[in-house]
């Protein structure tokens, strides 16, 4: 998730007419959506949309402040603006990162390693591009995610804060700068949304469009456009509001909020729809909600101005920062029992409250500058002198503590051993090359051999399972999980092919199967679908089943990937598909591996030697039952 939402100073609003209390409630709902999503609550499958809501709120509030300043001075004090943003974002991030370094060094070296890898990108706000372009091995990135993954949204916002004011300053040179700025903002938003649509490819990892500033900034820009369309909220504008218009705005806002909540509950976070209009729809709905909240006397505004929502909103930045590291430290990012989730929520609230009280609020209110002014001042009374001494002592203690923490963090980074979720990474990468080479050789052997096998020969004598399986010509198409069991698979199915690759997406199977049939002339006994660990199925099962024809068996292997949200949906679809389609059979790896930690390497996904044997035995049992009866 993830997304950060700053707490905007009430003084900034006083210049524009009023403080919009209802936005506090909307911000609270957004952070609760993200929290529920990462806790894997079933009613929040699309809770990552809370980040989109955050983006629209940020774009609106920041642009409202900038437009007010431009209207008064025809320029923006960039230094002051950027210092305020840094003062708002950075201190809490530094505290959170320091905690992760110490906690990871003591309790979880894998998380420590991932934190160190993403440390600079989180601090300097390029985490989103770091996640897109980093040259990290799939295996080094295996297991639970980095506890700083959610900082991608902070980076998108920070980059928006860096560039967008410059655009507004440029347009402020023209007499009709408001109109030019608004039109350009809307055009850029549409282009950004179009870029997400065009660049999204369900057959590949969607990280590029999910994390990219260019493909996500439209939400911020929609919020910015609303700031221009809404005007300054002056009394003159209020007088133009009729009861009918207020009722319409309330209805639009309530409808928008209901759509957001419906999509949170019903839309899977990795569905194609989100990248092809869904995120834009949520952005527009958020615009409708904020537009309704501008009428502070409206029904929706009064509902979202409730005190509990205000309390959560004030601490929403801290909740967002802390919830993900807490979840990874306590439950490892896996779906946890309810009592564990409650513990994670309580700890998140505690840490965010401490951050708000002792870090965010004092620094946002300028305690550093005020302390320096007091220390450098020349007291004229004994009372001022005592205040100066107290301030000096507090400052020395604070600086000393910061120095000790910084030194401790540096020492941990330099001297604490790193640890990856998977050991022997080079060996695993070599295994991928070996598997590809065997598949190429097997394909050539298939082309040269026309020998009938027992499954096709119609032999009347009963064959032993081992003999039956050894003659089958199956095509297994899989990812790195199946890759680990390559040797075991060929030992059980010597006449078959295992085409496996690291990070393979489910939709790639269509092109792979087509190549084997139309290029290599494959006409084997059946196909084993061993994908689904790297993303949603995206209707690939229907297409593959139709390509195979009614007479060729299809085996579907369920997945065990405890750190991702698509494990459940993929398995549910596989279960339903095997029941609904003829000549389609289940290899329930999820059930086979239940309670068998010894089957898995450190990431909980890839296989140990025992796991490889169990994995292939599951395929053997399913295949033997099918072909024994043919």
């Amino acid at each position: 998730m993830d997304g950060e939402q700053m707490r905007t100073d009430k003084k900034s609003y006083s210049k524009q007419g009023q403080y919009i209390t209802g936005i506090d409630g909307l911000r609270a709902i957004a952070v609760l959506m993200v929290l529920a999503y990462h806790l894997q609550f079933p009613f929040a499958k699309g809770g990552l949309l809370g980040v989109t809501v955050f983006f629209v709120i940020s774009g609106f509030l920041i642009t409202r402040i900038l437009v007010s300043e431009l209207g008064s001075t025809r320029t923006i004090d960039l230094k002051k603006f950027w210092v305020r943003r840094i003062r708002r974002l950075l201190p809490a991030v530094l505290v959170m990162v320091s905690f992760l370094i110490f906690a990871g060094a003591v309790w979880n070296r894998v998380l420590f390693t991932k934190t160190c890898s993403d440390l600079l990108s989180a601090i300097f706000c390029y985490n989103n591009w770091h996640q897109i372009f980093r040259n990290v091995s799939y295996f080094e990135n295996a297991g639970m995610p980095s506890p700083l993954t959610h900082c991608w949204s902070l980076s998108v916002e920070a980059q928006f804060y860096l560039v967008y004011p410059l655009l507004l300053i440029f347009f402020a040179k023209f007499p009709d700068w408001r109109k030019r700025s608004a039109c350009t903002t809307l055009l850029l938003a549409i282009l950004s949304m179009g870029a997400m649509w065009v660049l999204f490819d369900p057959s590949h990892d969607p990280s590029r469009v999910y994390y990219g500033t260019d493909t996500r900034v439209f939400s911020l820009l929609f919020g910015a456009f609303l700031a221009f369309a809404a005007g300054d909220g002056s009394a003159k504008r209020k007088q133009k509001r009729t009861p009918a218009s207020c009722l319409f705005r309330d209805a639009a806002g309530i409808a928008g909020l209901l759509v957001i909540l419906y999509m949170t509950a019903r839309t899977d976070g990795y569905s194609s729809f989100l990248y092809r209009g869904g995120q834009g729809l949520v952005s527009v709905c958020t615009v409708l909600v904020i537009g309704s909240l501008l009428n502070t006397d409206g029904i929706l505004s009064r509902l979202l101005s409730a005190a509990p929502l205000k309390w959560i909103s004030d601490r929403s930045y801290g909740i967002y920062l802390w919830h993900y590291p807490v979840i990874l430290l306590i439950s490892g990012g896996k779906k946890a029992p309810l009592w564990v989730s409650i513990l994670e929520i309580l700890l998140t609230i505690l840490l965010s409250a401490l951050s708000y009280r002792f870090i965010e609020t004092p620094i946002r209110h300028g305690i550093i500058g005020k302390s320096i002014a007091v220390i450098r001042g020349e007291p004229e009374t004994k009372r001022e002198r005592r205040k100066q001494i107290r301030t000096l002592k507090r400052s020395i203690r604070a600086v000393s503590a910061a120095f000790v923490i910084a030194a401790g963090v540096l020492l941990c980074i330099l001297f604490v051993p790193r640890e990856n979720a998977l050991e022997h990474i080079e060996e695993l990468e070599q295994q991928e090359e070996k598997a590809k080479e065997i598949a190429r050789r097997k394909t050539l052997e298939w082309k040269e051999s026309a020998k009938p096998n027992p499954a096709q020969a119609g032999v009347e004598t009963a064959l032993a399972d081992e003999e039956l399986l050894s003659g089958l010509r199956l095509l297994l198409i899989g990812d790195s999980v199946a890759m680990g069991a390559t040797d075991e698979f060929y030992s059980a199915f010597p006449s078959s092919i295992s085409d496996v690759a690291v990070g393979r997406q489910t939709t790639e199977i269509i092109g792979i199967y087509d190549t084997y049939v139309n290029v290599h002339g494959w006409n084997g006994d059946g196909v084993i679908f061993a994908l689904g660990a790297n993303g949603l199925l995206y209707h690939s099962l229907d297409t593959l089943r139709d390509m195979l024809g009614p007479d060729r068996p299809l085996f579907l292997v369920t997945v065990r990937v405890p750190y991702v949200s698509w494990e459940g949906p993929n398995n549910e679809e596989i279960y339903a598909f095997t029941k609904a389609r003829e000549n389609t059979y289940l290899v329930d790896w999820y059930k086979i591996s239940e309670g068998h930690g010894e089957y898995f390497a450190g990431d909980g996904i890839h296989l140990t030697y025992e796991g490889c044997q169990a994995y292939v035995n599951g395929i053997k049992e399913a295949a033997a039952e099918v072909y024994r009866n043919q």
Side-chain angles (χ1 to χ4, degrees), residues 494-507:
S495 300
S496 298
I497 288 181
S498 175
D499 189 305
V500 290
V502 168
R504 178 173 281 168
Q505 299 291 313
T506 56
T507 49

Side-chain angles (χ1 to χ4, degrees), residues 152-180:
W152 75 269
S153 61
L154 311 187
S155 299
V156 172
E157 291 200 21
Q159 292 156 26
F160 174 78
Y161 299 155
L162 180 65
V163 175
Y164 192 64
L166 300 176
L167 181 67
L168 295 184
I169 290 175
F170 170 76
F171 283 116
K173 301 179 184 297
F174 300 94
D176 57 345
W177 66 272
R178 288 179 185 269
K179 181 178 179 181
R180 288 175 182 262

Side-chain angles (χ1 to χ4, degrees), residues 47 105 118 123 125 136 160 172-173 205 241 286 311 351 353 355 376 392 418 480:
D118 293 347
I123 293 175
C125 296
V136 177
F160 174 78
K173 301 179 184 297
D205 187 343
R241 297 175 187 168
T286 306
W311 192 92
L351 291 171
S355 175
R376 296 180 62 182
L392 179 61
R418 310 289 175 90
S480 59

Side-chain angles (χ1 to χ4, degrees), residues 163-468:
V163 175
Y164 192 64
L166 300 176
L167 181 67
L168 295 184
I169 290 175
F170 170 76
F171 283 116
K173 301 179 184 297
F174 300 94
D176 57 345
W177 66 272
R178 288 179 185 269
K179 181 178 179 181
R180 288 175 182 262
S181 299
C183 291
T184 302
T185 297
L186 182 59
L187 175 62
L188 291 175
I190 294 172
L191 290 175
S192 173
M193 192 164 61
M196 171 177 275
W197 186 302
V198 171
L199 293 177
F200 173 68
D201 182 354
S203 67
H204 294 87
D205 187 343
S207 295
R208 169 63 186 87
V209 292
Y210 186 79
Y211 293 128
T213 306
D214 54 340
T215 52
R216 293 305 299 266
V217 75
F218 63 84
S219 299
L220 288 147
L221 292 170
F222 276 128
F225 177 76
L226 176 62
F228 284 104
D232 59 5
S234 64
K236 185 176 180 180
R237 290 179 62 88
K238 289 183 186 178
Q239 291 173 0
K240 296 181 180 180
R241 297 175 187 168
T242 64
S245 67
C246 291
L247 182 61
F248 175 78
R249 292 173 71 169
D250 251 346
I254 292 171
L257 182 58
L258 290 177
V259 170
I260 293 171
L261 295 178
Y262 177 81
M263 291 181 65
T264 298
R266 303 293 297 176
T267 306
D268 192 283
Y270 290 86
S271 67
S272 298
F273 167 67
L274 288 186
Y275 299 99
R276 290 175 172 167
Q279 295 279 7
L281 176 60
V282 172
S283 300
V284 172
C285 288
T286 306
V287 167
L288 294 177
V289 175
I290 297 174
S292 175
L293 296 175
L294 294 176
N295 176 21
T296 54
D297 296 325
I299 297 173
L300 186 59
S301 179
R302 290 198 296 269
L303 288 174
L304 296 185
S305 298
L309 294 177
K310 172 72 164 58
W311 192 92
I312 294 173
S313 174
D314 288 344
R315 293 150 187 84
S316 60
Y317 181 36
I319 292 173
Y320 182 79
L321 278 184
W322 285 100
H323 83 281
Y324 200 51
V326 166
I327 290 172
L328 292 182
L329 283 168
I330 293 180
S331 61
K334 302 177 183 178
K335 185 173 178 56
L338 181 60
W339 71 269
V340 175
S341 297
I342 293 174
L343 175 63
E344 291 169 342
I345 292 171
L346 293 176
L347 185 55
T348 296
I349 291 174
L350 173 62
L351 291 171
S352 62
L354 292 174
S355 175
Y356 178 76
R357 171 66 178 84
F358 296 106
I359 305 297
E360 299 168 48
T361 300
I363 293 178
R364 188 175 67 247
H365 290 166
I367 190 174
I368 296 176
K370 293 176 182 178
S371 298
I372 293 174
V374 170
I375 293 171
R376 296 180 62 182
E378 306 222 357
E380 297 179 356
T381 65
K382 290 183 178 180
R383 183 179 179 182
E384 290 179 351
R385 180 62 178 169
R386 286 195 297 271
K387 179 181 178 181
Q388 185 183 52
I389 293 173
R390 286 196 305 270
T391 302
L392 179 61
K393 289 181 179 179
R394 284 198 301 266
S395 300
I396 291 174
R397 287 196 296 267
V399 171
S400 300
F403 177 80
V404 170
I405 292 172
V409 167
L410 182 61
L411 290 174
C412 286
I413 293 173
L414 291 176
F415 297 109
V416 173
R418 310 289 175 90
E419 181 179 320
N420 292 305
L422 284 171
E423 299 179 354
H424 312 301
I425 291 172
E426 293 182 0
E427 186 177 314
L428 290 168
E429 291 174 334
Q430 292 172 1
Q431 190 177 31
E432 180 183 21
E433 292 301 318
K434 176 184 175 183
K436 290 179 179 178
E437 179 58 34
I438 295 175
R440 284 191 290 267
R441 178 169 53 81
K442 288 277 186 179
T443 302
L444 292 175
E445 292 176 358
W446 253 356
K447 284 184 174 182
E448 296 171 357
S449 172
K451 181 181 70 174
N453 61 67
Q456 297 172 325
V459 293
E460 297 180 0
T461 57
L463 297 174
D465 284 351
E466 295 297 327
E467 185 179 359
L468 175 66

